Amino acid sequence: MTDERRVASEAADRPPGPIARVSRSKRDARDWYDTFSRRYDAVADPFEAPARTGGLELLAPEPDERVLDVGCGTGIALVAIARAVGPTGTAVGIDLADGMCRASRRALAGAGLERGVVIAGDGASLPFADDAFDAVFASFVLELFDTREIPIVLAEWRRVLAPDGRLCVVSLSRSGFGPTTWLYERVHDLLPTAVDCRPIYVTETLCEAGFRVLETRYETVWRLPVEIVLARPR
């Protein structure tokens, strides 16, 4: 059995259970990250960095490529992408929050990578042409969208990918659900703005959205499982 068929078979045998909804509005999300942008690296980055680094290694951006970082945040991944694609490549970041966009631009400028581009916008409605990118990267972003919007988001990411392009998603995972995940979801329900990421079924969701999973790796953040998934459009 091929890897693609094995992943699809496992997804069919293990249907996703209910995942927590996202109750806050996008305006509230934007305002929260505007406020949080200057403290984000100190608070969140020490926990997220290993999984994000693993995602960048799996994506493996190359010179001359066109790469989009959705939810680029403070620009740590975008700087790495800009370095990897080189002066003849294209590195673009997009984030909902103006504060995060400013932080990304500062990070690029501080690294001497002014050629990188940062745009304020919604990852569910990208201002780019079809097939505009060779690769799309999203680290701790997909799980911020409400359950009903995730298929729309993935369709949009697929639209801007070249037919042979690749997508790497780093996300909190509900696979292997256990007590820590249960407790985290209860806190998410109580504090949906501050504890906004919630675990989702990453591999299964990508398969359902028309992607072919190439490789899946696993990490942990705050003892919560994280999936790092590399996929291509089918």
Side-chain angles (χ1 to χ4, degrees), residues 18-30 32-33 96 122 124 140-151 153 171-172 184-201:
I19 62 175
R21 297 292 303 276
V22 175
S23 58
R24 72 176 179 186
S25 68
K26 289 193 177 182
R27 179 175 180 177
D28 287 343
R30 183 190 64 214
W32 165 255
Y33 280 104
L96 188 66
D122 187 347
F140 298 105
V141 172
L142 186 60
E143 65 269 54
L144 294 175
F145 291 94
D146 191 22
T147 308
R148 295 172 182 171
E149 193 174 21
I150 287 177
V153 171
S171 172
L172 292 182
Y184 181 88
E185 288 182 345
R186 302 291 77 74
V187 176
H188 167 83
D189 291 341
L190 293 171
L191 301 169
T193 296
V195 184
D196 52 357
C197 289
R198 89 292 194 206
I200 62 174
Y201 294 92

Side-chain angles (χ1 to χ4, degrees), residues 101-184:
C101 291
R102 289 192 294 271
S104 283
R105 294 185 188 110
R106 287 195 298 269
L108 287 167
L113 296 166
E114 288 85 352
R115 62 181 177 271
V117 177
V118 181
I119 298 171
D122 187 347
S125 180
L126 298 172
F128 308 113
D130 295 358
D131 307 337
F133 296 97
D134 300 301
V136 172
F137 184 68
S139 180
F140 298 105
V141 172
L142 186 60
E143 65 269 54
L144 294 175
F145 291 94
D146 191 22
T147 308
R148 295 172 182 171
E149 193 174 21
I150 287 177
I152 298 170
V153 171
L154 289 174
E156 185 70 350
W157 296 0
R158 185 179 179 185
R159 179 186 67 79
V160 301
L161 267 177
D164 60 345
R166 60 201 189 279
L167 167 68
C168 184
V169 173
V170 181
S171 172
L172 292 182
S173 173
R174 209 169 189 270
S175 298
F177 181 84
T180 303
T181 303
W182 179 89
L183 178 60
Y184 181 88

Side-chain angles (χ1 to χ4, degrees), residues 29-46 72-76 95 97-107:
R30 183 190 64 214
D31 291 347
W32 165 255
Y33 280 104
D34 273 340
T35 302
F36 195 32
S37 59
R38 290 191 176 274
R39 301 192 303 275
Y40 188 87
D41 285 347
V43 174
D45 190 64
C72 58
T74 59
I76 294 175
D95 201 283
D98 290 334
M100 290 296 197
C101 291
R102 289 192 294 271
S104 283
R105 294 185 188 110
R106 287 195 298 269

Side-chain angles (χ1 to χ4, degrees), residues 207-229:
C207 288
E208 290 173 359
F211 286 90
R212 173 170 58 94
V213 172
L214 303 177
E215 186 175 347
T216 300
R217 298 179 184 176
Y218 299 93
E219 261 286 353
T220 57
V221 171
W222 305 299
R223 297 189 178 182
L224 294 166
V226 172
E227 283 182 76
I228 306 169
V229 183

